[in-house]
Amino acid sequence: MEKKSITSEKSTASRRDFVKAAAMTAAGFMIVPRHVLGGKGFIAPSDRLTIAGVGVGGKGTSDLSHFFQSGKADIAYLCDVDDRRAATSRTNFPKAKYYKDFREMFEKESKNFDAVSVSTPDHTHAVVAMAAMQLGKHVYVQKPMTHDIYEARKLTEAAAKYKVVTQMGNQGSSGDGVRTLHEWYDAGIIGDVDTVYIWTNRPIWPQGIPWPSEKPPVPKELDWDLWLGTAPKKDYVENLIPGSWRGWWDYGTGALGDLGCHLMEAPFRVLGLKYATDMQASVGSVFTAFGKRGIFPDSCPPSSHATLTFPKTPKTKGPVTMHWMDGGIKPERPEELGANELFGDGNSGILFVGSKGKMMASEYAANPRLLPLSKMQEVKVKQKFARVPGSADGHYAQWVEGCIAGYGKMELSSPFELAGPLTEAILGANLAIRGADMPKAREDGKGFTYPGSNMKMLWDAQNMKVTNFDEVNQFVRRNYRDGWSLGV
């Protein structure tokens, strides 16, 4: 073997030292603030979130715009079954690739995006979100999180299994109002709460009506079969899109699904609620002739009053009764409220009844107030909970930041861990409403009775089952149309 000279070895060592030193010097130049490299306001690609939107019209339009306004999100893919509804988002994000079927988009593009925003009608929330989570994608899902209780439970489990960052679109959960209510309650200002009233003027779309008999042609821009998704096959009808689908059980979840997540979230957070033990309801009726009550099983009733009981929590001394009222029904005005003072916000509201006082808020838990209103000048409570930058509007940027940080790195306002049980309670109230509106033919053939309207439905949360009125359990988990599956 040829012996290397001392000079040769020294030269090699010198070259190695030079290369090593040069590399370290280069590394030193690279470890500088990112804004120095990219100029003021620059955000490195690794600190950006690439989003695919499914359902990009209406609420989807505003959701995507809010994500983009965070300054850290790129809207790279758009998907909608209706070209008409997608038009604004396609204009807003002209470089985004467009699909009609989310399954095709996921199959072809899943390596190219980080997260999915789901703003479809309620009946397809779960299948889109589950498919995204199974691909390891973070998800933002409009409220309610799902159409069925079973779906909510499975999505909650999936978020933990796949370790993805999740957020439901009830932006009031990021607002200052719910945090103020929480601080007042924890400070003992109103004592122990055992009753909560919630009300809304919804529905603002038709309910308590028969399914339309007309069969107009399907608009050329709409893929009707894809819009139906998991729901039973039906002919196209008008006035369902963009928003009136909310009043039909196959697609929507009524007034509760529309505003329940915005109004129930505050008592859930403040009182530490989770799963109800029972629920009952009464509903408004529509009479089509004198003495003849209309039976419209496809449609939500025009108004309802649902009552849920929650067991004692570490933050209450006993069970909590929650009243939900919609269709213009309101609870009795509290005696502490002046005759001309606004109850809630005029359309919706939340009222906590405590052993030492009451507190009230508007939709999204905004504008929290102590009753009587004069107490607002007297009570000063130290801030206990950090505020979300931007308050309710910051809900979107919070999710973007959470996704960039990674699973478990940042606290979010409405992750599925919290949003799942809240959604289950809302859909549980809907079980009682559907049960109260469910006719049973009389044995003599003369008309119908409504046995579900005269009972308290006992809820087995662990097994997701009403134990004393089996007729409503069919709504806990729907049968999907052939070709559709939750994938669990």
Side-chain angles (χ1 to χ4, degrees):
M1 179 182 292
E2 182 182 357
K3 188 176 181 179
K4 293 184 178 179
S5 69
I6 295 176
T7 304
S8 174
E9 288 180 345
K10 285 183 177 179
S11 296
T12 302
S14 296
R15 282 195 298 271
R16 279 200 303 264
D17 291 342
F18 175 80
V19 171
K20 182 178 179 181
M24 291 178 67
T25 302
F29 278 112
M30 290 178 69
I31 303 173
V32 295
R34 287 189 174 96
H35 73 267
V36 174
L37 289 174
K40 187 176 180 180
F42 172 76
I43 298 173
S46 59
D47 289 338
R48 295 191 69 83
L49 186 72
T50 302
I51 298 175
V54 182
V56 299
K59 196 70 184 78
T61 304
S62 63
D63 286 345
L64 294 176
S65 294
H66 275 100
F67 298 139
F68 182 75
Q69 288 164 13
S70 72
K72 296 186 178 182
D74 296 315
I75 313 303
Y77 299 94
L78 303 172
C79 180
D80 203 293
V81 301
D82 191 339
D83 295 343
R84 300 168 301 177
R85 303 290 295 156
T88 300
S89 287
R90 295 182 74 181
T91 299
N92 290 344
F93 307 105
K95 294 183 180 179
K97 193 171 181 180
Y98 180 64
Y99 287 87
K100 275 205 166 184
D101 191 332
F102 77 90
R103 296 167 298 184
E104 180 186 3
M105 181 175 72
F106 285 5
E107 181 180 353
K108 292 182 177 180
E109 310 290 354
S110 62
K111 294 181 180 179
N112 302 321
F113 59 83
D114 310 307
V116 176
S117 172
V118 184
S119 303
T120 63
D122 301 351
H123 68 296
T124 50
H125 283 184
V127 290
V128 180
M130 181 64 80
M133 288 193 288
Q134 288 173 339
L135 290 170
K137 308 303 178 184
H138 309 300
V139 290
Y140 183 101
V141 181
Q142 260 308 322
K143 48 78 192 167
M145 194 170 108
T146 63
H147 184 279
D148 306 342
I149 291 173
Y150 173 82
E151 294 173 332
R153 187 72 59 91
K154 290 303 174 183
L155 259 62
T156 302
E157 294 170 356
K161 177 181 178 180
Y162 297 110
K163 298 188 183 327
V164 293
V165 178
T166 57
Q167 183 97 299
M168 182 169 71
N170 55 328
Q171 58 269 35
S173 63
S174 288
D176 294 353
V178 66
R179 287 156 179 78
T180 298
L181 292 168
H182 203 168
E183 288 159 353
W184 287 342
Y185 186 70
D186 283 3
I189 302 301
I190 66 168
D192 178 65
V193 166
D194 60 10
T195 306
V196 178
Y197 292 96
I198 299 170
W199 66 98
T200 177
N201 67 335
R202 297 299 206 276
I204 54 172
W205 50 83
Q207 287 190 185
I209 57 174
W211 183 254
S213 57
E214 297 82 5
K215 297 179 181 180
V218 179
K220 65 181 186 301
E221 302 91 347
L222 171 68
D223 188 322
W224 174 242
D225 188 70
L226 276 179
W227 189 93
L228 286 173
T230 60
K233 180 70 175 178
K234 286 186 178 180
D235 290 325
Y236 171 76
V237 295
E238 291 180 334
N239 301 319
L240 199 64
I241 302 170
S244 291
W245 52 264
R246 291 191 178 280
W248 301 99
W249 290 121
D250 279 344
Y251 322 113
T253 46
L256 266 159
D258 183 45
L259 278 187
C261 294
H262 290 313
L263 292 162
M264 285 191 186
E265 191 273 338
F268 257 70
R269 184 183 299 265
V270 171
L271 304 177
L273 306 179
K274 194 167 185 182
Y275 296 119
T277 56
D278 59 69
M279 48 267 191
Q280 55 188 299
S282 57
V283 300
S285 304
V286 176
F287 282 78
T288 57
F290 185 83
K292 184 179 180 181
R293 178 175 172 175
I295 298 175
F296 309 120
D298 296 325
S299 178
C300 308
S303 59
S304 63
H305 176 190
T307 306
L308 299 93
T309 305
F310 295 89
K312 178 184 179 299
T313 78
K315 301 188 69 175
T316 66
K317 293 182 179 180
V320 174
T321 301
M322 180 184 290
H323 294 268
W324 166 272
M325 302 175 182
D326 63 44
I329 302 171
K330 295 182 180 180
E332 182 181 1
R333 291 171 62 87
E335 59 183 15
E336 298 91 341
L337 191 65
N340 294 326
E341 290 173 340
L342 193 63
F343 191 20
D345 59 20
N347 292 319
S348 304
I350 311 164
L351 178 68
F352 293 79
V353 179
S355 57
K356 299 192 320 186
K358 299 181 177 74
M359 60 185 185
M360 176 178 69
S362 303
E363 193 176 307
Y364 302 104
N367 191 21
R369 286 150 285 171
L370 293 166
L371 299 180
L373 297 180
S374 58
K375 292 185 70 172
M376 296 291 291
Q377 306 301 320
E378 305 166 7
V379 175
K380 303 296 179 184
V381 173
K382 186 177 180 180
Q383 181 175 312
K384 179 179 178 181
F385 301 104
R387 278 14 181 197
V388 175
S391 193
D393 282 344
H395 194 64
Y396 307 89
Q398 184 195 60
W399 176 69
V400 171
E401 295 278 6
C403 293
I404 293 171
Y407 178 76
K409 302 295 185 182
M410 179 178 155
E411 182 179 354
L412 270 72
S413 298
S414 194
F416 288 0
E417 176 188 358
L418 302 177
L422 171 59
T423 299
E424 287 192 36
I426 287 163
L427 300 177
N430 267 343
L431 286 185
I433 289 170
R434 297 191 77 168
D437 206 29
M438 187 179 292
K440 181 179 180 181
R442 296 180 184 274
E443 291 184 1
D444 60 6
K446 297 180 180 179
F448 299 87
T449 62
Y450 292 82
S453 66
N454 296 305
M455 67 168 56
K456 178 186 291 185
M457 298 183 190
L458 305 178
W459 180 242
D460 178 351
Q462 181 175 352
N463 295 304
M464 295 180 285
K465 182 179 181 180
V466 171
T467 59
N468 63 330
F469 192 64
D470 190 55
E471 287 85 344
V472 298
N473 286 320
Q474 62 183 299
F475 308 126
V476 173
R477 179 184 182 182
R478 284 176 298 145
N479 290 319
Y480 288 173
R481 188 160 57 111
D482 288 346
W484 294 87
S485 170
L486 194 57
V488 293

